Amino acid sequence: MGTERHLSHGVDTEELDAFAEHAAENPEDVQLGLSARSIYEGTCAHSLATIDSYVLGGETIDRGTRAYTIPYGGWKEVLEAGGWVEATDRMEPIEVALSALASCINVGISINAVANGVDIDHLETRVRTEFDPSVLFSVEDLGNADTVFENLTAEVEIESPDLDKDEVDEWARRAPVYNLVSLDQEVNLTVTTPAEVGADD
């Protein structure tokens, strides 16, 4: 008879413990290199984003079944007011970023709940912000970019028989996207022109 597996929320807890132990002893094996790209589609504000390969422990993971595309655009009413012809609704990058933050908070909470033997009956995270598009449309100077977003909030609704609110708060703050948006991140932005591309060939 095989060894009984201990499952919690779809995770083999013994394998999770072993993974965490290996990560602690071999941190280089679990470092991730992540990327995404987006190609402008010719209609102002419309791009098609692609997510595919990534790097795990120095090895590139690239398989055909892992190719996700996201068509980005804007809010139909805003675009129509701005002069877009035959404007349509598409997922808007800010809202997708907010959904990524909400989902990643769920990731941080659920992974640590499983690791600590805490069961979850219900978990929902709502993220909201207020956005001023003045800098985007060059109505305001770029120097005012720090005023674009106000009142970024995240509300976690959770039901658990072993609930500790302080513990849940800590788990939420371990979410990678939470740290991406809440901590200072330096974006090394480079712009390449066709002439520069040709010179590299």
Side-chain angles (χ1 to χ4, degrees), residues 34 96-108 127 152 172-183 185:
L34 308 176
V96 174
L98 294 177
S99 72
L101 173 58
S103 298
C104 199
I105 288 175
N106 286 353
V107 169
V127 175
L152 177 59
R173 295 174 191 274
R174 290 182 180 275
V177 177
Y178 178 91
N179 292 311
L180 180 66
V181 302
S182 65
L183 303 179
Q185 306 289 342

Side-chain angles (χ1 to χ4, degrees), residues 12-26 29-30 32 56:
D12 185 316
T13 56
E14 291 184 359
E15 289 190 15
L16 178 61
D17 289 343
F19 174 82
E21 183 178 341
H22 179 82
E25 296 174 354
N26 305 275
D29 288 352
V30 295
L32 292 161
L56 173 60

Side-chain angles (χ1 to χ4, degrees), residues 17-50:
D17 289 343
F19 174 82
E21 183 178 341
H22 179 82
E25 296 174 354
N26 305 275
E28 67 282 354
D29 288 352
V30 295
Q31 300 305 302
L32 292 161
L34 308 176
S35 64
R37 64 184 185 277
S38 192
I39 299 176
Y40 177 58
E41 295 182 302
T43 295
C44 186
H46 282 200
S47 290
L48 183 66
T50 302

